[in-house]
Amino acid sequence: QVQLVESGGGLVQAGGSLRLSCAASGRTSSSGVMGWFRQVPGKEREFVAAISSSGGRTDYADSVKGRFTISRDNAKNTVYLQMNSLKPEDTAVYYCAAGVKSFWRVRVSTEYDYWGQGTQVTVST
C-alpha cells in the first residue's frame, strides 16, 4: 500500500502561483509514475500532469502546459506541482495519484492504484 498526502492548496488571485506537494509513504517502491489530477463538482476528474519514476519524463494537459511544472524528489518521496499564471478555471480539488503501470496510460485516472485525499485550489478574479 502507498499513502499519499497532498498539501499546498489555498486561495490565490488570478496570475498568482502555488506549489502543491504530495508526500508518499508506505510501499513507496510501488509509487513509480505519479500524476496530478483535478476535479470540480459535477465534472469528471481531469488529468493535469504526470512524471516518470526517475523524473526524466513528464506529460502535461494542454490547458496547463507552459504554466505548470511537475517535479519529484525521490529522496523525500515527494512530488510537486508548481502552478504559475493561475486562472480562475484552474479552480478545483487537486489530487495526487500513483501506481499506474505504464507511462502510456498516465492520462487515464482509472489506471492509478493510489490516491490522496485532495487539496482545494481556488483562483479568484
Side-chain angles (χ1 to χ4, degrees), residues 30-35 37 47 49-53 57-59 72 97-113:
S30 300
S31 60
V33 176
M34 296 186 70
F37 288 75
F47 170 76
I51 189 166
S52 64
S53 55
R57 187 175 180 183
T58 58
D59 189 26
R72 67 191 298 163
V100 64
K101 301 301 187 296
S102 168
F103 201 84
W104 296 106
R105 304 291 289 171
V106 295
R107 295 187 175 213
V108 182
S109 62
T110 53
E111 294 286 329
Y112 289 80
D113 294 326

Side-chain angles (χ1 to χ4, degrees), residues 8-64:
L11 173 64
V12 64
Q13 287 189 331
S17 299
L18 281 175
R19 188 177 81 155
L20 305 183
S21 299
C22 173
S25 60
R27 290 187 60 183
T28 55
S29 60
S30 300
S31 60
V33 176
M34 296 186 70
W36 286 97
F37 288 75
R38 64 188 182 187
Q39 190 170 25
V40 298
K43 292 191 175 182
E44 291 188 356
R45 199 162 289 190
E46 174 190 26
F47 170 76
V48 175
I51 189 166
S52 64
S53 55
S54 68
R57 187 175 180 183
T58 58
D59 189 26
Y60 295 93
D62 288 345
S63 58
V64 306

